[in-house]
Amino acid sequence: MDVLLAQLSKIFTIEILDIGGVKFSIATIISLVISIILAFFISKVVSEIIQHSILERLKLNRGLQAAVTVFIKYFLITISSIIILQTAGVNLSSLAVIAGVIGIGIGFGLQNIASNFISGLVLLFEQTIKVGDYIEIGNLKGVIEKIAIRSTILRTDDDLFVIVPNQRFLENDTVNWSYGGHTCRIHIPIGVSYDTDVLVLTEALLTAARNEPRVLTNPAPEVWFDKFGEHSLNFELLVWIDEPDANEPIRSSLNFRIAYELRQQNIKIPYPTREIIFQNPEAIQQLINQKSYQYNLATPNPSTTFSPESSPITKNTNYVNNRSLHDLLRRVSYFERCTEVELFALVARGYRKHFRENEIIFHEEAPSENFFIILSGSVEVFSEKNNQVIATLGEGEFFGEISLLTGTPRTATVRSLAADTLLFVVEKQQLQKLLNEHRELGEQIAIKLSERQQILISLGLLNEEELQKAQYVALSWVRDRLNNLFGISLGRG
C-alpha cells in the first residue's frame, strides 16, 4: 500500500509542463484550476451581494443594476485569476505569447463565441437594451431577464425563456418598446364595407378605445383612413399605452370592444367578392325554372314563402333607435354648416356621454378637465354653497368652459334635468385642436364666457377682490385670453 501511495505521489508531483521557466506538476495544475474555480464562484457571490445590498437600495433600474453586477463579477474574476497565476510564479508576458499562438490556431473555430462575447460587452456598455426592457427581434417578443457575456435570456409572452446570442442584437433590427420611456402606440387595422358611414365608424372605434382602461387619454386615440381596399375601406385605430409588455392583451381587448361597437352600429365587415360571368344565361334560367317547378310540386304548402319578417334572425335596432353623433352635432347651431370632413375632425376630438335625470355631471370646486356641449336634454347650473340656481341650459348650449379656460376649479355644480341628457364631451388636451378647427365656436365661447362672468358677479359668487378683477373681463379681454392660450385669432379679420 505504501508503495502504491509513493507511486501516486511521484506521478502527481512529477513536472510535466514548463511555462516561462516555471515547471508545473499535475498537483500544481489541479490546485490552480481549483483556485480559479473558487475565485469564479466567490466573485459571483460578491457581485450578487453588492447588487442586493447596495445597488437595489440606490433604486437603480434593473438594467443598470444588471450591467454593474456583470462588470463587477468579471472584474473580480480577472483580478483574482491574475493574482493566482502570479502567485504560482507564471510569467504573464510569456503566457500572453503562448495564448496568442494558440489563439491563431483555434480562432477560426471560435469566431461566433468571440463575436457574441464582444457583442455582450457592447450591449452592457451602450445600455440600448437593458434588463427589464420589452423588445421585439425577428419573431421573438418578450422581456429581457438577463444579459450575459455570450447570450441574453428573453422571457416571451408565453412565459418561455429563450437564449438569444448577443450577436443577433447587433446584426438585426431590434425594436425596444421600453427605450426612452414606457409609452408607445399600437395600431389596430379594421376593414369595413364601402357603404359604411365613416363618421359613425369613427365614433364606434373611438368609443371602443375610450372604454379600454389601459389606453391612455393623453395622447388621445385617433382614427386614420388608410386606403380604399379591393373589398373594403381600410382604417386604423391608433392608441397610446404605457404597458409595452401588455400590448398583445390590450390589442385583444380592443378587438373585442371594436367587434361589439361594430355590431351595435350595424357596421359590416365585408367578405371578398368574385364576379361570375355566365356564357349561356338562357340555359341556366331554364334549369332554374325547372328545379323551381319540381320543388313547388314536392312542397306540402306551396303558399308558404320565406320573408325577412318571418326569419328568426332579428335586426339590430340600436342603430335605428339612436341617432349617430354627427347627426346630433348637425342640430347644434355652431356645427350645422360644417362639411363632412369638418364633422369627421369634430367627432375625432370628443365623444358623447349619457346622463340620467338629476345625475351630477361635476361638482363645485372640482378640477376642470372637460368641456361640454348639450346635444339633447337640459342641465341645471347651481351654487352648492349658496343653494341657488344660476342657469338652466338646453340643447345646443355649452358649459364647463370657464374653469377650463381660466385654469381654476369649477365655479358651480351642474346636474342633468332630463331623463336622458346627452352631452358632447371634449377633454382639455383636445380643446385647442377643436378651437383651431372651428373658429366660430371659439367666438361663441368668448361671448358666453364674458356673459357668465357677469352672472356670477350679479349673484354675489365672487368676493370684492375677485369682483374688481372681473370688471375687466370684457369680450375683448376674453378673446385675447383665448388667443394667447390656444393660438387662435378670434375677433380679427
Side-chain angles (χ1 to χ4, degrees), residues 155-167:
R155 179 170 53 84
T156 69
D157 296 334
D158 298 324
D159 208 25
L160 300 176
F161 291 87
V162 182
I163 301 173
V164 184
N166 290 330
Q167 188 177 359

Side-chain angles (χ1 to χ4, degrees), residues 243-404:
E243 301 176 62
D245 54 338
N247 78 88
E248 294 297 336
I250 294 174
R251 188 187 301 273
S252 174
S253 178
L254 283 172
N255 284 332
F256 277 112
R257 295 180 186 276
I258 290 171
Y260 172 79
E261 294 296 334
L262 295 185
R263 191 180 304 111
Q264 291 294 102
Q265 299 296 342
N266 201 26
I267 297 174
K268 303 297 183 183
I269 297 178
Y271 293 101
T273 58
R274 294 291 183 267
E275 182 178 0
I276 300 176
I277 301 176
F278 296 103
Q279 298 295 335
N280 192 358
E282 294 81 8
I284 296 174
Q285 184 63 43
Q286 291 177 1
L287 180 61
I288 293 174
N289 293 337
Q290 181 181 359
K291 294 292 184 182
S292 178
Y293 176 73
Q294 294 174 356
Y295 173 77
N296 290 333
L297 290 178
T299 303
N301 186 6
S303 63
T304 303
T305 57
F306 174 80
S307 65
E309 290 77 9
S310 63
S311 171
I313 301 175
T314 58
K315 294 182 179 180
N316 189 335
T317 58
N318 186 71
Y319 176 70
V320 178
N321 295 333
N322 295 294
R323 303 186 65 177
S324 64
L325 180 55
H326 76 286
D327 288 337
L328 292 168
L329 288 172
R330 283 277 189 206
R331 299 166 59 186
V332 180
S333 59
Y334 315 129
F335 310 127
E336 60 186 1
R337 295 185 180 180
C338 288
T339 65
E340 289 296 309
V341 175
E342 290 172 334
L343 275 179
F344 180 86
L346 185 61
V347 169
R349 297 287 172 252
Y351 56 95
R352 61 177 165 183
K353 188 173 182 179
H354 292 265
F355 290 88
R356 299 183 301 274
E357 185 177 2
N358 292 325
E359 183 177 354
I360 297 296
I361 299 171
F362 57 75
H363 283 280
E364 189 175 335
E365 301 298 333
S368 52
E369 297 294 337
N370 301 311
F371 163 73
F372 302 88
I373 300 174
I374 304 174
L375 297 177
S376 64
S378 59
V379 302
E380 182 180 72
V381 183
F382 66 97
S383 170
E384 289 188 67
K385 62 181 179 182
N386 289 0
N387 194 24
Q388 187 171 11
V389 176
I390 300 173
T392 299
L393 307 177
E395 182 177 307
E397 296 189 272
F398 50 82
F399 61 93
E401 76 285 353
I402 293 179
S403 5
L404 186 60

Side-chain angles (χ1 to χ4, degrees), residues 10 24 27 35 105 125 140 151 167 178 240 245 250 307 367 413 425 440 444 485 488:
K10 184 177 181 181
F24 293 90
S35 300
F125 272 111
L140 293 175
S151 62
Q167 188 177 359
S178 306
W240 290 87
D245 54 338
I250 294 174
S307 65
T413 299
V425 185
E440 68 281 1
Q444 292 293 333
L485 286 174
I488 57 180

Side-chain angles (χ1 to χ4, degrees), residues 49-292:
I49 291 174
I50 293 174
Q51 178 183 6
H52 295 302
S53 61
I54 299 177
L55 300 181
E56 289 182 357
R57 292 184 179 180
L58 294 176
K59 296 183 179 180
L60 302 177
N61 62 67
R62 287 182 61 195
L64 187 57
Q65 288 183 31
V68 172
T69 302
V70 170
F71 281 124
I72 292 175
K73 181 177 73 174
Y74 285 101
F75 175 77
L76 293 177
I77 290 173
T78 303
I79 295 299
S80 58
S81 299
I82 292 174
I83 293 174
I84 291 171
L85 292 175
Q86 286 185 338
T87 304
V90 177
N91 187 347
L92 296 181
S93 60
S94 61
L95 189 62
V97 174
I98 296 173
V101 174
I102 296 174
I104 295 175
I106 65 173
F108 291 103
L110 300 177
Q111 285 185 21
N112 289 335
I113 295 177
S115 178
N116 289 323
F117 181 84
I118 300 300
S119 300
L121 293 177
V122 172
L123 293 177
L124 291 171
F125 272 111
E126 287 188 347
Q127 289 285 287
T128 52
I129 297 175
K130 305 183 296 295
V131 173
D133 286 354
Y134 185 82
I135 68 161
E136 180 178 353
I137 178 170
N139 296 324
L140 293 175
K141 285 184 179 180
V143 178
I144 293 181
E145 293 293 325
K146 180 181 179 181
I147 299 179
I149 289 296
R150 190 194 69 82
S151 62
T152 294
I153 308 298
L154 185 70
R155 179 170 53 84
T156 69
D157 296 334
D158 298 324
D159 208 25
L160 300 176
F161 291 87
V162 182
I163 301 173
V164 184
N166 290 330
Q167 188 177 359
R168 285 190 60 185
F169 294 102
L170 300 185
E171 293 181 346
N172 299 282
D173 294 333
T174 303
V175 179
N176 189 346
W177 292 71
S178 306
Y179 187 81
H182 293 280
T183 302
C184 60
R185 187 168 68 178
I186 59 178
H187 297 236
I188 308 293
I190 180 69
V192 297
S193 59
Y194 265 84
D195 60 354
T196 301
D197 188 328
V198 296
L199 295 179
V200 176
L201 173 67
T202 300
E203 181 190 0
L205 294 179
L206 292 177
T207 300
R210 293 187 179 100
N211 289 337
E212 171 54 50
R214 290 171 292 183
V215 168
L216 301 180
T217 57
N218 186 22
E222 294 182 276
V223 175
W224 285 3
F225 195 150
D226 185 23
K227 65 179 179 179
F228 295 90
E230 183 178 357
H231 308 291
S232 62
L233 300 175
N234 296 334
F235 291 81
E236 276 193 343
L237 173 63
L238 286 74
V239 299
W240 290 87
I241 62 174
D242 57 2
E243 301 176 62
D245 54 338
N247 78 88
E248 294 297 336
I250 294 174
R251 188 187 301 273
S252 174
S253 178
L254 283 172
N255 284 332
F256 277 112
R257 295 180 186 276
I258 290 171
Y260 172 79
E261 294 296 334
L262 295 185
R263 191 180 304 111
Q264 291 294 102
Q265 299 296 342
N266 201 26
I267 297 174
K268 303 297 183 183
I269 297 178
Y271 293 101
T273 58
R274 294 291 183 267
E275 182 178 0
I276 300 176
I277 301 176
F278 296 103
Q279 298 295 335
N280 192 358
E282 294 81 8
I284 296 174
Q285 184 63 43
Q286 291 177 1
L287 180 61
I288 293 174
N289 293 337
Q290 181 181 359
K291 294 292 184 182
S292 178

